Amino acid sequence: MMKVDLELQNIRFRAGENNFSPAQQLGVLAKRLAGCNRVGRESESLKELERLLALRDGGPAPELLRLLPRHPMEPYRIKSVELRGQGCPPEGCPPYDRRLQALEEAGYNTFLLKEDKGVVILIDLLTDSGTSAMSDLQWSAMLRGNEDYAGSRSYYPLEKAIQEVYGWKEVVPTHQGRGAEHIVSTIFIKPLLEQYPGDPVYVPKNMYFTTTKVHILRAGGVFKDVIIDEAHNPTAWHPFKGNIDLGKFRRLIDDCIARWGSVHGPRHIAYVHLEGCVNMAGGQPFSLENLRELRSLTSRYGIPLLLDATRLVENAYFIQQREAGYRERTVAEIVREIGDLTDGCTMSSKKDHLVNIGGFLALNDGEKAARAREMLVDFEGFPTYGGMAGYSMEALAQGIRESIDDNWIAYRIGQTQYLGELLRNAGIPTVTPVGGHAVFIDAKAFLPHLPQEQFPAQALASAIYLHSAVRTMERGIVSAGRDGHTGKQNVPELELVRLTIPRRVYTQSHMDYVADKIIELHQMRERISGLQIAWEPAAGSLRFFLMRFKPLADNLIS
């Protein structure tokens, strides 16, 4: 069934019988349509609507009907729900005074909102990390969990699932992705720093991610952004904004060779880290063509090629839909092809794999894997459980196989696209094209009256919460942190608010509510104040988790 939106404000009426004014006619029409899928009683069908529209004046006909985006049908049934809204008004939204108090106590940082004294969040779009709803098969798999400290039998189904789905040989379980990032940065970067004391050791990547960059820097490496330029432009349309700019990468290699020679030069590049569906760029994928060319280049110079595979399944779906020659391939086949073209990965399974905790490091290099397991024992746990419980590994093994189902991933991406289309159709400035896990609002364009030094994305995330009880998060100057040497703010080109959709958690009506409230807020955007820093942690590398702010004006929304 085709669904359309009737623009009531564009309808104009002539005076009707019995002094029935145009305003009264419009009011009747609005009431008849409100909350209904049809007009009037079933027996009337659309006759009443046709009669009323026939009274429209004879002036230029405005656009009255707009095609609405289709929300995909959920490929699952809901068997358990989390009850929300206790102590709230009938619609379930915490009252304004409670929201304001919660936001003030959180220092206008949506990460610090607390529900220890009752519900303050209606819809939580802060992150898709660990927020998925697990399936009945995952819950039942947890009952098989074996908690033996060494040699847990729950490790082996996980190892087998990773080897079969992705193709990598060595599996090192960790508590989540940053555990894997810590290990891989250390084992690849530090030996080169010892071999070449005083020289820089580079890690090129398709845009930074917060925790990944922190671990590269902590290990002594130098991060290099080699993503294509289009990724830094929120309005540019490119099907694969996550691609690595091979020219930038070649120039880095050539510079290393010029400084240290053809043998030792490329060794100053510890590894290339390729992220699937680049988070900080708006969830943008890379293409298989780009990956193949990158693989050819890294193989020529002996540079390891590792993935941030956190959202690799979503990336594979975009390849299936957008890249020539892949429409008839399954997502599972594309995922395996990507795995076969790379040397391993860091993985936060709290995203693609539909679990609440867990991750792993996977490698093909047995020697590097042995070093990784030595570090694992020091920082995470024994090699057959890492930082996970046995029941978590069982749920993860099942989630890996569920994640590559074509029907599931089509729905997953479709729900994100639906929210993005609702916002774009209403003129909300978003990153285009819409990514896989989230819709990203361009805060600079949404709040053009706020300079970036007044943290427009943080202010917008706070305003969205205050207006609607919908929690989102900042991805801009706050997340970028400060320069470790000068102490100055890092100022990224993108200043975004991320609306991240947890997997298998929210329905169409939730997405409709989110869109409606953001559209309302956009109409009052000039009233939103900028923010100033009230407190930030001294280290500052991941400050966005803990920072506190206060409005520059008396109120956040005047």
Side-chain angles (χ1 to χ4, degrees):
M1 179 178 67
M2 182 177 66
K3 295 185 178 181
V4 297
D5 182 42
L6 178 62
E7 299 286 352
L8 292 177
Q9 67 272 18
N10 290 336
I11 300 177
R12 297 187 299 275
F13 295 93
R14 297 189 298 270
E17 299 175 358
N18 301 321
N19 295 320
F20 195 35
S21 71
Q24 289 173 319
Q25 295 174 56
L26 185 59
V28 170
L29 179 60
K31 290 179 180 178
R32 298 290 292 275
L33 292 175
C36 299
N37 289 325
R38 61 176 183 269
V39 179
R41 292 173 291 277
E42 188 171 0
S43 60
E44 291 179 322
S45 185
L46 292 177
K47 291 181 180 179
E48 186 71 7
L49 174 61
E50 293 170 353
R51 187 185 70 79
L52 287 170
L53 290 178
L55 295 175
R56 184 168 53 84
D57 70 17
E63 290 294 328
L64 298 181
L65 298 177
R66 179 168 54 88
L67 187 65
L68 288 174
R70 290 181 61 88
H71 190 280
M73 186 175 71
E74 290 80 357
Y76 53 82
R77 291 192 293 184
I78 299 170
K79 299 176 71 172
S80 180
V81 297
E82 176 188 352
L83 299 179
R84 303 287 293 173
Q86 296 91 329
C88 297
E91 63 273 19
C93 184
Y96 178 85
D97 289 347
R98 188 188 300 179
R99 303 197 302 267
L100 178 59
Q101 180 182 358
L103 188 61
E104 289 175 342
E105 291 176 353
Y108 294 85
N109 184 345
T110 53
F111 273 96
L112 300 180
L113 291 168
K114 297 190 300 183
E115 292 197 326
D116 56 329
K117 298 177 183 177
V119 172
V120 298
I121 299 166
L122 178 62
I123 298 174
D124 198 347
L125 305 185
L126 183 79
T127 180
D128 63 334
S129 181
T131 57
S132 299
M134 292 201 300
S135 71
D136 54 348
L137 295 179
Q138 286 179 289
W139 282 109
S140 62
M142 291 175 68
L143 296 177
R144 297 195 301 266
N146 172 252
E147 308 305 335
D148 289 348
Y149 185 91
S152 169
R153 63 177 179 268
S154 292
Y155 166 77
Y156 300 101
L158 173 60
E159 179 186 51
K160 183 178 180 182
I162 294 167
Q163 291 170 341
E164 290 180 354
V165 170
Y166 294 97
W168 300 305
K169 299 174 183 177
E170 305 283 349
V171 176
V172 182
T174 59
H175 75 286
Q176 61 183 70
R178 67 193 61 178
E181 291 170 348
H182 171 219
I183 293 172
V184 81
S185 299
T186 303
I187 65 175
F188 277 88
I189 294 172
K190 289 201 171 181
L192 295 176
L193 291 173
E194 294 171 0
Q195 183 178 358
Y196 304 110
D199 290 353
V201 173
Y202 299 103
V203 178
K205 189 179 187 305
N206 51 344
M207 199 175 283
Y208 81 99
F209 182 66
T210 49
T211 60
T212 313
K213 184 177 179 180
V214 162
H215 286 112
I216 290 169
L217 298 180
R218 283 188 182 276
V222 178
F223 167 79
K224 298 290 286 187
D225 184 0
V226 291
I227 201 167
I228 60 175
D229 290 339
E230 289 90 338
H232 295 283
N233 182 349
T235 61
W237 199 96
H238 188 291
F240 295 105
K241 275 185 171 180
N243 279 353
I244 278 182
D245 187 319
L246 298 172
K248 292 179 183 178
F249 182 44
R250 285 192 188 97
R251 286 191 289 274
L252 176 61
I253 295 172
D254 291 343
D255 179 64
C256 289
I257 291 174
R259 295 173 69 181
W260 299 294
S262 59
V263 174
H264 295 284
R267 287 184 55 77
H268 283 72
I269 300 174
Y271 56 95
V272 179
H273 206 221
L274 178 66
E275 182 178 344
C277 282
V278 181
N279 196 347
M280 304 301 286
Q284 302 299 315
F286 62 79
S287 70
L288 257 170
E289 179 184 18
N290 186 251
L291 174 57
R292 285 198 201 91
E293 293 176 351
L294 180 63
R295 172 79 280 182
S296 175
L297 197 55
T298 57
S299 297
R300 187 186 314 164
Y301 293 100
I303 300 170
L305 173 54
L306 302 179
L307 287 169
D308 177 343
T310 296
R311 298 182 177 89
L312 187 62
V313 177
E314 295 177 1
N315 199 112
Y317 178 79
F318 282 121
I319 289 171
Q320 182 194 68
Q321 297 298 307
R322 296 178 182 174
E323 191 162 358
Y326 285 90
R327 184 56 67 94
E328 303 305 319
R329 300 281 297 279
T330 66
V331 166
E333 290 171 339
I334 297 170
V335 165
R336 180 56 188 262
E337 184 171 346
I338 293 172
D340 289 341
L341 286 167
T342 56
D343 298 311
C345 82
T346 57
M347 175 73 80
S348 174
S349 291
K350 296 167 67 177
K351 285 80 168 179
D352 267 356
H353 296 155
L354 304 158
V355 290
N356 307 130
I357 196 68
F360 57 85
L361 165 64
L363 296 167
N364 288 329
D365 186 326
E367 182 180 344
K368 281 287 196 298
R371 293 179 186 174
R373 291 187 178 101
E374 292 176 22
M375 280 194 67
L376 188 77
V377 172
D378 289 343
F379 291 97
E380 295 273 322
F382 196 77
T384 52
Y385 78 89
M388 285 184 282
Y391 59 76
S392 295
M393 290 191 287
E394 294 280 2
L396 173 51
Q398 174 64 29
I400 288 172
R401 299 189 187 280
E402 289 182 15
S403 72
I404 54 175
D405 176 76
D406 282 72
N407 290 328
W408 153 247
I409 195 63
Y411 165 77
R412 160 65 176 165
I413 303 296
Q415 186 180 43
T416 307
Q417 304 299 305
Y418 174 79
L419 177 58
E421 288 180 37
L422 288 177
L423 294 175
R424 281 204 313 270
N425 289 347
I428 306 300
T430 62
V431 172
T432 56
V434 175
H437 68 293
V439 178
F440 288 73
I441 297 175
D442 182 355
K444 286 183 183 178
F446 196 108
L447 302 175
H449 61 287
L450 298 184
Q452 204 164 359
E453 293 73 20
Q454 294 183 13
F455 310 109
Q458 190 72 42
L460 180 54
S462 297
I464 290 171
Y465 169 74
L466 184 59
H467 182 66
S468 64
V470 174
R471 179 160 69 163
T472 62
M473 72 165 294
E474 181 268 5
R475 277 293 180 230
I477 189 171
V478 176
S479 294
R482 294 184 181 273
D483 185 280
H485 299 290
T486 67
K488 294 182 179 180
Q489 305 270 7
N490 293 321
V491 183
E493 294 181 60
L494 296 176
E495 183 75 13
L496 308 175
V497 171
R498 190 181 77 179
L499 284 64
T500 331
I501 303 179
R503 294 160 181 81
R504 301 192 294 210
V505 172
Y506 293 116
T507 65
Q508 177 178 344
S509 61
H510 290 107
M511 298 300 102
D512 292 340
Y513 175 85
V514 171
D516 289 345
K517 289 299 180 180
I518 291 176
I519 292 166
E520 288 176 5
L521 191 64
H522 190 245
Q523 294 168 355
M524 61 177 82
R525 57 192 179 277
E526 298 86 357
R527 295 163 49 191
I528 299 175
S529 165
L531 298 174
Q532 58 185 316
I533 296 174
W535 179 86
E536 67 178 305
S541 56
L542 293 174
R543 62 178 187 169
F544 62 91
F545 285 124
L546 301 173
M547 284 181 74
R548 291 179 175 273
F549 305 85
K550 57 184 179 181
L552 287 165
D554 292 336
N555 299 298
L556 177 64
I557 304 176
S558 61

